[in-house]
Amino acid sequence: GELVLAHARGTLREFDGVRQRIEAMRGLRQGEVTLATTAGLADAFLPGVVRRFRAAHPGIQLKLLGLPIAAVLHGVREGDADLALAYDVPATAGFRTLFASEWPIGAVVPPGHALTAHASTVLAECVGHPLLLPAPSLSIRPIIDAAFERSGLRASPVIETTSTALMRRLVREGEGITLLNRLDVAEEMHDGSLVFVPLRDATLPAQTLTLETRAAQAPSPAAELFANHVTACLDELLAP
């Protein structure tokens, strides 16, 4: 009986803690959140996320750090950032994954391009067009290179850059095509300025996007609120 009573009391304490955090988040008017992320996500996905969050929670200060992946993880590990948002994060002790999602890679082309004639394409059909590829330092590039190699194809990019924003602009201006994941071009897909054509090559895995925090410490109410908002925005984009 005492064991059951102790368990019940512990459960009630946990429930009360959760209830208090929910109430605190509902009434949250101020706070500060630091998100460490990569430059590509900062350019493509986060502007709309931040705009919507600021409209709903104008008193919460956001600090957004665009960093290389190693620095993203280091920032959260050392407590310089509350949250990390990045692709293909290696399994690392001391981190807790709040959300994970898969984003397939495809050819990004202007409207009316020959590759838009079909619902999907393959790498072999891409090499006949000028390729604007992410630089080797970006997490997507090793995936692309490995897929070309396994397919027995040689990729000869006419441009390499660390800027996904520049890649998207050059494609819009007709300089060639690029290979990115669907989240990278979600805004352009929405406004019709670019078309995402999925690649169906079995040699090309999707990128895994994760939202991470420190395992040893619960995020602050403001950080938890922003994490929930980021998750909701990703869920919207993942919906068919």
Side-chain angles (χ1 to χ4, degrees):
E2 291 181 0
L3 288 175
V4 173
L5 182 59
H7 176 72
R9 286 173 176 165
T11 302
L12 286 172
R13 281 195 299 270
E14 290 176 6
F15 176 79
D16 189 56
V18 171
R19 179 183 58 78
Q20 290 179 20
R21 290 184 68 81
I22 291 173
E23 289 177 355
M25 288 167 62
R26 283 175 176 169
L28 203 58
R29 294 291 181 269
Q30 59 186 3
E32 181 181 297
V33 185
T34 300
L35 172 72
T37 189
T38 58
L41 286 163
D43 287 340
F45 168 62
L46 283 175
V49 173
V50 169
R51 188 166 54 247
R52 291 169 61 179
F53 185 81
R54 290 279 304 136
H57 309 283
I60 297 178
Q61 181 185 20
L62 297 177
K63 295 183 178 181
L64 308 173
L65 310 178
L67 303 167
I69 182 62
V72 168
L73 299 180
H74 179 79
V76 172
R77 184 184 300 112
E78 297 302 314
D80 297 324
D82 302 292
L83 304 166
L85 183 68
Y87 291 112
D88 304 315
V89 174
T92 307
F95 287 84
R96 178 163 62 94
T97 301
L98 301 175
F99 185 79
S101 53
E102 299 290 316
W103 296 92
I105 296 170
V108 178
V109 301
H113 191 275
L115 291 180
T116 65
H118 302 284
S120 64
T121 188
V122 292
L123 290 171
E125 293 177 349
C126 296
V127 294
H129 303 275
L131 285 174
L132 321 176
L133 290 185
S137 61
L138 299 187
S139 62
I140 192 173
R141 181 60 184 271
I143 299 173
I144 293 170
D145 286 346
F148 272 116
E149 184 175 352
R150 287 193 293 266
S151 300
L153 299 169
R154 180 179 176 82
S156 300
V158 296
I159 294 174
E160 291 183 338
T161 176
T162 57
S163 171
T164 57
L166 178 59
M167 279 182 269
R168 298 194 303 271
R169 178 168 181 172
L170 290 173
V171 171
R172 286 197 303 268
E173 294 177 355
E175 293 299 322
I177 70 171
T178 191
L179 306 179
L180 295 170
N181 73 51
R182 188 164 66 87
L183 183 60
D184 291 329
V185 290
E187 185 174 347
E188 288 83 0
M189 290 169 63
H190 179 73
D191 65 27
S193 61
L194 290 175
V195 179
F196 177 83
V197 185
L199 284 160
R200 60 179 183 271
D201 299 76
T203 58
L204 190 66
Q207 285 196 280
T208 301
L209 178 67
T210 57
L211 181 62
E212 307 278 347
T213 190
R214 288 185 297 281
Q217 181 180 349
S220 69
E224 189 171 353
L225 187 68
F226 187 60
N228 290 342
H229 176 75
V230 171
T231 298
C233 290
L234 287 169
D235 275 333
E236 286 181 15
L237 292 171
L238 285 166

